[in-house]
Amino acid sequence: MGKRIGNQTIQMDLKPSIEFTTSVVGPKEGAGPLSEYFDIILTDDTNGQDSFEKAESSMMNRAIVETISKAQLEDKEVNYIFGGDLLNQLTASHFAIRDIDIPFFGLYGACSTMTESLSLASLMVEAGFAVNAIATTSSHFSSSERQFRFPLEYGAQRKVTSQWTVTGSGAMLVSNKKTKGKPVVTFITTGKVKDYDITDVNNMGAAMVPAAVDTLKAHFEDTGKNPSDYDLIATGDLGSVGGDLMVKLMKEYGYDISKNYIDCGDQIFIKDNTVCAGGSGCGCSAVVDCGYIYKEMLKKKFKKVLLMSTGALMSTTSSLQGESIPGIAHAVALEME
Amino acid sequence: MGKRIGNQTIQMDLKPSIEFTTSVVGPKEGAGPLSEYFDIILTDDTNGQDSFEKAESSMMNRAIVETISKAQLEDKEVNYIFGGDLLNQLTASHFAIRDIDIPFFGLYGACSTMTESLSLASLMVEAGFAVNAIATTSSHFSSSERQFRFPLEYGAQRKVTSQWTVTGSGAMLVSNKKTKGKPVVTFITTGKVKDYDITDVNNMGAAMVPAAVDTLKAHFEDTGKNPSDYDLIATGDLGSVGGDLMVKLMKEYGYDISKNYIDCGDQIFIKDNTVCAGGSGCGCSAVVDCGYIYKEMLKKKFKKVLLMSTGALMSTTSSLQGESIPGIAHAVALEME
């Protein structure tokens, strides 16, 4: 049975496996450098629905249904879904799963939701409370722009530090089955809300870095590990600006992550003046983790990986009221045994 | 160690205790029939803050800090906070805990969040992943009206089925300490998202009833219990309209809950033409559970209680797009040993 080590970490003993994953992405993501790793690439970012919000729900529904189907399970054999998204009141998730007959825990950690859901799904399986659990999340560029920023038709100018919300959804099936050749979950480090008084909503990467640094430091301190113990350390969506800052700040604390660090948001798109500093959104780390990283783990290119999705915790109301942007990051360590 | 029974339920073995609770309410709730049970009654619903959103955060912060202080614990002795609220992107919770040095899992289950957070906090303690964990949630009448409905100044007319969002926050400390004379958690039944095509946002009680019925039936089927095994079955915020429907529907399924059933939203206010069908919001079941029910359990008026907060899972965008209102309900059974 898993146990607490240090202040923020659970060391797994059973070590649940990630049996299957599914990634569903939009056309722009599907045309990016990680194209070959995605399971389903939409040709139309509305996915045949009559709103971007419904499109987002349909992507998450497909990611979940496809994952359960790959595992040849029925709904009743999956004990929980842990999931969430960026839309107000998690409507993308709720409408995605209303026809799926599985108990649901709704989560909100902004773009940290993939590792938040993976943490809780893994802990429930580790404890024996679940045999199989789904961890999922989604985001959609156009539903996010409408909700958080401006109508697309307005054509607002973007800053060099702006990021482009990923249209995509990922789902993982965490299980006590532990099929040989599948990655297992070894450590869960849960993050705290960190607020360093950053108020620029066009530089969310920088707003999330202090939380990512805090969680990564806690992970190393709790486990006694150091950066070279991992083949890959992958933050969720700090983008190129936040990613550079992450490496610099970790160095100041005595950890050199420059050799094995990537940011999912920095990898997913072809760089141009639309995506600016890179990808963001819950869907960003979801599809890069479920696609590129998971599939390269199966091939043993990466044997030890630390996933750390990162969330910027503001709303349009909090920003209008002059509040700063707190951040949070949750880390999950995976290993090919 | 706790184990799965039936399809949706965990039967606890350790049975974590609820060591302390704190309820903070606004003036209207403080003038209601449950007045004597609340720990802190604000004299001003802005709590001295310059926005209703900041007021809500300050209430939740106070509920958490007060609960930890009652237990004479330091932040580092509390392993997790599970919490959420109704505001977009959970800003009430994030700003409430940004100065509290405890790992955080953000949850969204609309008004079901009190039993969602209590479920996960209890499961983490049961599994030994936490020694102490906080479960918390909040809502605020004026921040909710601004976000979900109309500006207060507009003076929109209310329907007889309308409910009044409770201004309040509750926090519970779940612990493996099991001090004699404190209630323990015995069963956790996790709900599914249920959508029965109800679209009237002024009748959320009715929208949530199918989910509440589904979870309560699952609880009885999984545990082999029946209504008479409980002194009290308390839904979160179905109000008087939804509560009546709940009793009727359960009867159709062969369960008579008429003798020991209450709805928190039906209890908290003096009935008048402002509150109409009763209270709602995450804060409703939070303060009634943390105040009235918990305190009457300590006095052994109630020895076996089933708490079941209920959530209506719509957003303003989903309603404008013509979507129906799915619901969800999570049940937690408590017992005085």
Side-chain angles (χ1 to χ4, degrees):
Chain A
M1 181 65 175
K3 62 172 199 290
R4 295 194 62 77
I5 55 170
N7 291 319
Q8 292 174 238
T9 302
I10 305 293
Q11 178 171 16
M12 311 298 248
D13 179 43
L14 165 74
K15 298 179 188 165
S17 55
I18 302 180
E19 291 284 310
F20 294 96
T21 67
T22 303
S23 52
V24 182
V25 298
K28 189 179 176 87
E29 293 72 16
L34 303 180
S35 180
E36 63 181 297
Y37 296 101
F38 301 128
D39 296 306
I40 298 160
I41 299 174
L42 305 180
T43 50
D44 159 16
D45 75 347
T46 68
N47 199 19
Q49 304 291 317
D50 59 10
S51 77
F52 296 123
E53 291 75 13
K54 290 180 204 281
E56 186 177 342
S57 285
S58 71
M59 286 195 305
M60 186 194 274
N61 181 278
R62 193 151 173 203
I64 296 169
V65 169
E66 185 77 15
T67 304
I68 295 173
S69 157
K70 283 177 185 173
Q72 299 182 292
L73 295 173
E74 290 180 52
D75 282 4
K76 65 180 178 195
E77 296 172 284
V78 179
N79 307 117
Y80 299 103
I81 296 174
F82 289 89
D85 59 88
L86 293 177
L87 295 187
N88 296 341
Q89 289 74 56
L90 303 193
T91 48
S93 304
H94 294 133
F95 292 115
I97 68 148
R98 63 179 157 180
D99 300 319
I100 299 177
D101 198 33
I102 298 175
F104 178 67
F105 284 110
L107 309 178
Y108 185 82
C111 309
S112 75
T113 307
M114 189 67 240
T115 47
E116 185 184 3
S117 62
L118 180 57
S119 294
L120 288 167
S122 303
L123 290 168
M124 294 292 269
V125 173
E126 174 75 20
F129 299 148
V131 174
N132 298 299
I134 291 275
T136 186
T137 182
S138 69
S139 57
H140 192 296
F141 172 74
S142 300
S143 65
S144 281
E145 288 296 304
R146 165 141 68 198
Q147 179 178 284
F148 288 109
R149 298 182 187 94
F150 298 98
L152 295 181
E153 295 79 358
Y154 179 74
Q157 215 167 0
R158 301 172 64 78
K159 295 175 72 172
V160 288
T161 52
S162 295
Q163 293 175 240
W164 187 276
T165 306
V166 165
T167 297
S169 175
M172 298 184 179
L173 182 80
V174 183
S175 173
N176 71 5
K177 197 174 173 194
K178 300 193 66 171
T179 307
K180 207 172 141 63
K182 307 271 184 176
V184 298
V185 178
T186 52
F187 296 92
I188 308 275
T189 302
T190 305
K192 300 170 180 173
V193 175
K194 291 282 153 185
D195 191 340
Y196 278 67
D197 259 343
I198 289 163
T199 53
D200 180 0
V201 291
N202 292 306
N203 193 358
M204 289 191 302
M208 293 185 273
V209 168
V213 167
D214 191 72
T215 300
L216 188 53
K217 268 179 59 208
H219 178 78
F220 289 141
E221 286 162 12
D222 288 351
T223 59
K225 290 184 185 290
N226 59 59
S228 63
D229 287 321
Y230 289 103
D231 302 325
L232 187 72
I233 296 168
T235 52
D237 62 337
L238 303 181
S240 53
V241 177
D244 290 349
L245 199 53
M246 179 82 196
V247 173
K248 272 184 208 148
L249 274 172
M250 286 305 294
K251 194 151 205 170
E252 283 186 20
Y253 286 110
Y255 296 103
D256 179 6
I257 60 168
S258 62
K259 290 181 194 63
N260 48 356
Y261 169 73
I262 63 164
D263 178 76
C264 297
D266 197 33
Q267 303 283 319
I268 191 168
F269 290 120
I270 296 167
K271 297 286 168 61
D272 62 19
N273 61 2
T274 63
V275 302
C276 301
S280 69
C282 305
C284 180
S285 60
V287 300
V288 175
D289 293 353
C290 289
Y292 170 60
I293 296 175
Y294 183 76
K295 290 183 181 176
E296 288 295 353
M297 287 196 84
L298 294 182
K299 291 188 223 158
K300 301 201 174 172
K301 177 179 169 188
F302 306 129
K303 288 188 181 168
K304 294 186 179 188
V305 170
L306 191 70
L307 303 178
M308 191 166 61
S309 304
T310 41
L313 305 171
M314 79 294 187
S315 74
T316 51
T317 304
S318 69
S319 294
L320 286 170
Q321 291 183 357
E323 281 285 10
S324 52
I325 306 173
I328 195 162
H330 301 296
V332 178
L334 304 183
E335 201 173 311
M336 290 296 287
E337 286 194 314
Chain B
M1 180 66 175
K3 63 171 195 292
R4 295 193 63 77
I5 56 170
N7 290 320
Q8 292 175 238
T9 302
I10 304 293
Q11 177 170 18
M12 310 298 247
D13 178 46
L14 165 74
K15 299 176 189 167
S17 56
I18 301 181
E19 291 284 309
F20 295 95
T21 68
T22 303
S23 52
V24 183
V25 298
K28 188 178 178 87
E29 293 73 15
L34 304 180
S35 180
E36 63 180 298
Y37 295 100
F38 300 127
D39 296 305
I40 297 160
I41 299 173
L42 305 180
T43 50
D44 160 16
D45 75 349
T46 68
N47 199 19
Q49 303 291 316
D50 58 12
S51 77
F52 296 124
E53 290 76 12
K54 289 180 207 278
E56 187 177 343
S57 285
S58 72
M59 286 194 305
M60 185 193 275
N61 181 278
R62 194 154 171 201
I64 297 169
V65 168
E66 185 77 15
T67 304
I68 296 173
S69 155
K70 283 177 184 171
Q72 298 183 293
L73 294 173
E74 290 179 54
D75 281 2
K76 65 180 177 195
E77 295 172 284
V78 179
N79 307 117
Y80 299 101
I81 297 173
F82 289 88
D85 58 89
L86 293 178
L87 296 187
N88 296 341
Q89 289 74 57
L90 302 193
T91 48
S93 304
H94 294 133
F95 292 115
I97 68 145
R98 63 179 156 181
D99 300 320
I100 298 177
D101 198 32
I102 298 175
F104 178 67
F105 284 108
L107 310 178
Y108 184 82
C111 310
S112 75
T113 307
M114 189 67 239
T115 47
E116 184 184 4
S117 62
L118 180 56
S119 294
L120 288 168
S122 302
L123 290 169
M124 293 292 270
V125 174
E126 174 75 19
F129 300 148
V131 173
N132 298 298
I134 291 276
T136 185
T137 182
S138 69
S139 57
H140 192 296
F141 171 74
S142 301
S143 64
S144 280
E145 288 295 304
R146 164 142 66 198
Q147 178 177 286
F148 289 107
R149 298 181 187 94
F150 299 98
L152 295 181
E153 295 79 357
Y154 180 73
Q157 217 167 358
R158 301 171 65 78
K159 294 175 72 172
V160 288
T161 52
S162 296
Q163 294 176 241
W164 187 276
T165 306
V166 165
T167 298
S169 175
M172 299 184 178
L173 183 80
V174 183
S175 172
N176 70 6
K177 197 176 174 190
K178 302 192 64 169
T179 306
K180 207 172 142 60
K182 307 273 183 174
V184 298
V185 179
T186 53
F187 295 92
I188 308 276
T189 302
T190 305
K192 299 170 182 175
V193 176
K194 290 282 152 187
D195 190 340
Y196 278 67
D197 260 342
I198 289 163
T199 52
D200 180 0
V201 292
N202 293 307
N203 193 359
M204 289 190 303
M208 292 185 275
V209 168
V213 167
D214 189 74
T215 300
L216 188 53
K217 268 179 59 208
H219 178 77
F220 289 143
E221 287 163 11
D222 289 351
T223 59
K225 291 183 184 292
N226 59 60
S228 63
D229 287 320
Y230 289 103
D231 303 325
L232 188 72
I233 295 169
T235 53
D237 61 338
L238 304 182
S240 54
V241 178
D244 290 349
L245 200 53
M246 178 83 196
V247 173
K248 272 183 209 149
L249 274 172
M250 286 305 294
K251 195 153 203 168
E252 285 187 18
Y253 287 108
Y255 297 103
D256 179 7
I257 61 168
S258 62
K259 290 181 193 64
N260 48 358
Y261 169 73
I262 64 164
D263 178 77
C264 297
D266 196 35
Q267 303 283 319
I268 191 167
F269 290 120
I270 297 166
K271 298 284 168 61
D272 62 19
N273 61 2
T274 63
V275 302
C276 303
S280 68
C282 306
C284 181
S285 61
V287 301
V288 175
D289 293 352
C290 290
Y292 171 60
I293 297 175
Y294 183 78
K295 288 181 182 176
E296 287 296 352
M297 286 197 85
L298 293 182
K299 289 188 224 157
K300 300 198 175 173
K301 177 179 170 189
F302 306 129
K303 287 187 183 169
K304 293 184 180 189
V305 171
L306 191 70
L307 303 178
M308 192 166 60
S309 304
T310 40
L313 305 172
M314 80 294 186
S315 74
T316 51
T317 305
S318 68
S319 295
L320 286 170
Q321 292 183 356
E323 282 284 10
S324 53
I325 306 173
I328 196 163
H330 302 295
V332 178
L334 304 184
E335 199 174 313
M336 289 297 286
E337 287 194 312

